[in-house]
Amino acid sequence: MRLVIAMIQDQDVNKLLGVLTEHGYFATKLASTGGFLRQGNTTLLVGIDDDKVAEVTGLIKDTCHSRKQLITPMESVGRTMNNYMPNPVEVSVGGATIFVVDVLDFVKV
Ligand code: 2BA
């Protein structure tokens, strides 16, 4: 068994949970925060059989979109400087960051 851990943008969550459920997958949604932007995102946990990894990662890829976001560099590193206002920088966020890990044991009681 494998555990898919997917960090996605909040805007894609409802659609992706619908797609996963339609295809018969169980998922858990966790509220998370990106370490760089310090903004809310969503982490999904999806436990699946080994042979379903390609299908699940494909569904995530098809559903989650990349978006551009403007950030002020000093905000992202948590520093402040008087009278210094750096130009905003554009970063591309998503579609999704996906980890697939082996599951040693899976029990439902
Ligand atoms: P954040 O950490 O808020 O990162 C948002 C976006 O900022 C990233 O998009 C990337 O384009 C940029 N970014 C992040 N760290 C950077 C850095 N050190 N230098 C320059 N640019 C940087 P994505 O790569 O699509 O990541 C979206 C979210 O997925 C991340 O939000 C984070 O919550 C998660 N994530 C991405 N890679 C990860 C990893 N290796 N481990 C754990 N979480 C990760």
Side-chain angles (χ1 to χ4, degrees), residues 41-73:
N41 57 23
T42 294
T43 300
L44 291 186
L45 305 180
V46 190
I48 53 173
D49 290 332
D50 294 8
D51 62 347
K52 300 294 185 190
V53 170
E55 183 180 16
V56 168
T57 54
L59 293 171
I60 296 170
K61 188 176 168 195
D62 291 346
T63 309
C64 296
H65 303 292
S66 170
R67 296 179 182 86
K68 305 272 184 217
Q69 204 153 327
L70 284 177
I71 61 156
T72 306

Side-chain angles (χ1 to χ4, degrees), residues 7-8 33-39 41 91-97 99:
M7 273 73 98
I8 67 172
T33 302
F36 190 68
L37 296 180
R38 318 280 165 94
Q39 291 179 3
N41 57 23
V91 292
S92 174
V93 186
T97 299
F99 297 92

